[in-house]
Amino acid sequence: LEAMAEVDVCNSAELHCLTNLAEGYGFWVEATVATQRQWWPSAEHFFQAGKFLEVDHQESIRRAREPGIAKHLGRSLSPLRPDWEDCKRTRLRTALLEKFWAHENVRQTLLSLPEGVRIVNGNVADAYFGTGPHGNGQNVLGVELQDLRAFFTSFPKRHQLDVKIADVGEPSSPFAAVVDVTGISPVS
């Protein structure tokens, strides 16, 4: 691929693994309850569940048989969390980041795309995540993939710390958490 070339993850069987809808690329994420982790079958499951504050809705989506069903549930359940428009891009980035950390082969597929190559999600039906019907959509998925390609180039290994919080009194109880410090620089 030459510089300034473009690859479309939506219309390439070889690059489909980079999309949210790709099956077989589940991952574990630290749950909101201390010391618990949750298995997410795909990035789409994780993304769609983030639309809701209700745990029952989140669980229905997490347990969906495949990403397409998770997407359907995410589009049909209600009410959406009130801040969804403000946090949906962060949720997408987290979903992709966790998927790429969990699956070396998918991360290497992303890294195999040269830096000068623009990544697009040529979904003509989606002007936010894709290129939209007229080719001038926001291409949020493509932009996030480009940003993650740069991130993984700079930080090829993940660094996490186990943090134990001692009993500090009411209303807090002791708990442990895993903190991802990959890419964080100390303040000087």
Side-chain angles (χ1 to χ4, degrees), residues 13-100:
E14 179 181 294
L15 301 176
H16 178 71
C17 65
L18 301 177
T19 70
N20 274 9
L21 289 169
E23 290 187 71
Y25 301 105
F27 50 86
W28 290 95
V29 173
E30 297 301 318
T32 53
V33 178
T35 71
Q36 284 194 344
R37 297 171 62 197
Q38 286 183 310
W39 174 256
W40 292 91
S42 73
E44 190 68 25
H45 285 80
F46 182 82
F47 176 78
Q48 294 296 334
K51 292 179 174 181
F52 306 98
L53 296 175
E54 292 82 5
V55 174
D56 288 346
H57 287 353
Q58 293 171 359
E59 273 301 295
S60 293
I61 293 168
R62 190 174 74 82
R63 294 174 184 270
R65 285 190 325 269
E66 51 99 1
I69 295 171
K71 186 174 187 174
H72 171 74
L73 288 169
R75 290 180 168 183
S76 59
L77 296 172
S78 63
L80 291 180
R81 60 188 293 168
D83 62 345
W84 178 240
E85 288 303 314
D86 298 328
C87 66
K88 70 181 176 182
R89 189 163 181 166
T90 301
R91 185 75 177 194
L92 172 67
R93 182 178 179 83
T94 301
L96 292 171
L97 189 63
E98 292 299 333
K99 173 174 127 177
F100 292 139

Side-chain angles (χ1 to χ4, degrees), residues 175-188:
F175 67 94
V178 176
V179 179
D180 191 331
V181 294
T182 309
I184 296 175
S185 299
V187 178
S188 42

